[in-house]
Amino acid sequence: MDKTEFWDLVGRARADVAARAVPAVGGGSAPGSGSGGRAGGERGGAGQPDTRAVADRVAELLAERPAEHISAAQQVLWDLMAESYRAPLWAAAYTVNGGCSDDAFDYFRAWLIGQGREVFERVVADPDALAGLDAVREAAGSWAELECERVLGVAWDAHHAATGEQLPATWSVSYAPLDPDWSFDFDDEREIARRLPALAALFFKDETDEADGTAEGDATGRTDDRDGTGAAPEEDGGAR
């Protein structure tokens, strides 16, 4: 299985989930979307399939393939994770989710893969394009975090379903060093606004504190809920 075949599988899964989705009655959550802010972040946005349901469907479709195809899909998945391991996207994820640790960035990129090829490639090339996604615009008005760890396990689940055995550890991933030009404090709203203006317009307030001229918060009214100091992630550039 190559990258094109993998993306075709994701596209088919998204279409299948969308086709069988039942509109929520009385404003309830779509099936499989869960409850609470973090689970809500698995949704694809208004009119889009739930990302966890998409992951489940990808695993089902993969389980119909030969075992060697499933192993190849695992490698493609982590090739995409390496392709999207970029500092500008990390800064964007930090802005959208109100913080973003190493693991959280993995889960954010997994969610992004679940949105399909066109969205993934557009956002990796221009992270500020996230501001145009319905799910991101919805997150700007809620506590939802956009992440879906479930996507990372599709090949494992498919292989176990197809063979009854664990997926062999034949895949590998190596991340390139992060762009040092983005090695700044991701809590710096002024710098984020300069580099990611569309996202800043969604998540940061326009008004500033009259006393010291610093930003007071973001458009969601969230208090600072970020992990750690907000410093840019350290480069590791090694296999993970």
Side-chain angles (χ1 to χ4, degrees), residues 102-121:
D102 290 21
D103 287 346
F105 189 40
D106 283 347
Y107 306 154
F108 175 84
R109 285 161 28 245
W111 172 85
L112 188 60
I113 289 169
Q115 308 315 299
R117 183 172 197 166
E118 189 277 330
V119 169
F120 176 86
E121 293 182 346

Side-chain angles (χ1 to χ4, degrees), residues 200-217:
L202 278 178
F203 288 92
F204 302 154
K205 284 184 177 180
D206 291 333
E207 60 267 29
T208 57
D209 187 285
E210 293 182 359
D212 59 14
T214 57
E216 292 182 318

Side-chain angles (χ1 to χ4, degrees), residues 15 34-35 37 46 59 74 93 97 107 111 115 119 121 124 126 129 139 152 156 176 187 189 191 222 230 237:
S35 61
Q74 175 75 341
N97 284 346
Y107 306 154
W111 172 85
Q115 308 315 299
V119 169
E121 293 182 346
V124 170
D126 176 18
L152 300 180
W156 290 88
D187 277 322
E189 294 184 359
E191 188 63 19
R222 295 184 291 191

Side-chain angles (χ1 to χ4, degrees), residues 76-133:
V76 171
L77 174 64
W78 283 98
D79 288 345
L80 293 173
M81 291 291 287
E83 181 181 329
S84 57
Y85 185 75
R86 299 184 180 181
L89 184 60
W90 203 328
Y94 192 101
T95 301
V96 170
N97 284 346
C100 193
S101 66
D102 290 21
D103 287 346
F105 189 40
D106 283 347
Y107 306 154
F108 175 84
R109 285 161 28 245
W111 172 85
L112 188 60
I113 289 169
Q115 308 315 299
R117 183 172 197 166
E118 189 277 330
V119 169
F120 176 86
E121 293 182 346
R122 172 159 48 94
V123 168
V124 170
D126 176 18
D128 206 31
L130 280 164
L133 302 184

